[in-house]
Amino acid sequence: MDVIPFEAWFFEVPPVTRYWTTAAVVTSVLVQCEVLTPYQLFFSFRTVFETHQYWRFLTTFLYFGPLSLDFIFHIFFMSRYSRMLEDSFFRNKTLDFLWLLFYSSFSLLILSPLVSLPFLGSPLSFSLVYIWARRNPSIRLSFLGLFVFSAPYLPWVLFGFSLILNNALPRGDLLGIAVGHVYFFFEDIFPRLYGYRPLAPPWRWQIWRRRRQHERAE
């Protein structure tokens, strides 16, 4: 049986990006069909710890808004830059990529009360955009065909575009930039200066990774 193009594209997407994108689309479809409501998905410390609704740790990263052009825009950027990171710097390092997402998600959950953000999927994807951009300084990009710039400026170009478009400070974008910068600094700059990685996965995580690599080699 021949594989149709969509199936071929879908299974070419690396696993973490594939599952995250699929879960995000399914979540918004369920909200659109009124099976779920955004009220059941948002994150706050009160709803999680006082009412024990622990699923909100996950669902806050899966809801990107109702089905709309804005939703398509956010899903496109999330899947594009998550895929490019996973396909390049984290190729065959799925557990390391999961560690990056765990660090970023945990940081965003801790910082979210400071900026009153109930949904954190967009800041999480923005942190991945920032990391990809900083790790590709020689790549040239074009914004809407208006001007060309180096990849490290991409997060700030998107930040400025969002600021102009919405006429409001994009707090989620700033939070994603901050979290992404901390990861980039301690993973890419700090080790060159001091010889070790403060944000390296914990040893249990590394043992699990080596075990998975050994099983794959067999």
Side-chain angles (χ1 to χ4, degrees):
M1 180 178 178
D2 294 332
V3 179
I4 62 174
F6 175 78
E7 290 176 332
W9 170 83
F10 182 78
F11 287 105
E12 284 177 357
V13 177
V16 177
T17 301
R18 181 168 71 241
Y19 294 136
W20 184 18
T21 304
T22 301
V25 172
V26 169
T27 299
S28 285
V29 169
L30 291 176
V31 171
Q32 196 75 18
C33 295
E34 299 183 352
V35 176
L36 297 173
T37 68
Y39 182 77
Q40 296 172 295
L41 306 174
F42 77 90
F43 172 81
S44 76
F45 283 101
R46 186 186 65 80
T47 55
V48 169
F49 293 108
E50 291 185 11
T51 60
H52 308 291
Q53 298 177 7
Y54 299 114
W55 68 82
R56 296 178 186 270
F57 281 126
L58 178 63
T59 56
T60 185
F61 297 105
L62 299 180
Y63 186 59
F64 285 78
L67 299 179
S68 62
L69 287 176
D70 186 64
F71 168 80
I72 293 173
F73 176 81
H74 281 94
I75 286 293
F76 169 78
F77 270 89
M78 180 270 281
S79 60
R80 174 179 172 82
Y81 290 98
S82 176
R83 176 178 182 173
M84 288 197 294
L85 268 180
E86 194 175 356
D87 258 343
S88 54
F89 300 101
F90 295 94
R91 178 177 289 275
N92 298 322
K93 297 179 180 178
T94 299
L95 290 178
D96 285 356
F97 189 60
L98 283 173
W99 174 253
L100 163 59
L101 291 180
F102 175 81
Y103 149 76
S104 301
S105 300
F106 181 80
S107 300
L108 290 169
L109 289 169
I110 295 298
L111 295 172
S112 62
L114 300 178
V115 290
S116 301
L117 287 176
F119 296 106
L120 299 171
S122 184
L124 178 58
S125 64
F126 215 84
S127 69
L128 301 183
V129 170
Y130 182 90
I131 295 166
W132 177 89
R134 291 300 302 269
R135 287 184 168 181
N136 291 276
S138 61
I139 291 181
R140 304 284 288 173
L141 302 171
S142 174
F143 183 74
L144 302 177
L146 299 176
F147 58 92
V148 177
F149 56 93
S150 299
Y153 292 103
L154 175 63
W156 301 107
V157 170
L158 295 176
F159 172 83
F161 179 71
S162 180
L163 179 63
I164 295 171
L165 191 65
N166 299 312
N167 197 30
L169 184 68
R171 296 168 296 167
D173 294 355
L174 280 178
L175 197 60
I177 287 174
V179 170
H181 181 73
V182 170
Y183 181 87
F184 173 77
F185 177 80
F186 283 111
E187 276 291 291
D188 293 62
I189 298 176
F190 192 90
R192 294 201 299 266
L193 298 175
Y194 300 102
Y196 73 99
R197 299 164 54 205
L199 287 183
W203 65 273
R204 288 185 180 276
W205 198 285
Q206 295 183 37
I207 290 174
W208 186 24
R209 180 186 61 188
R210 294 191 189 101
R211 187 178 301 163
R212 290 289 302 272
Q213 290 173 342
H214 180 70
E215 291 173 354
R216 191 180 297 116
E218 292 179 344

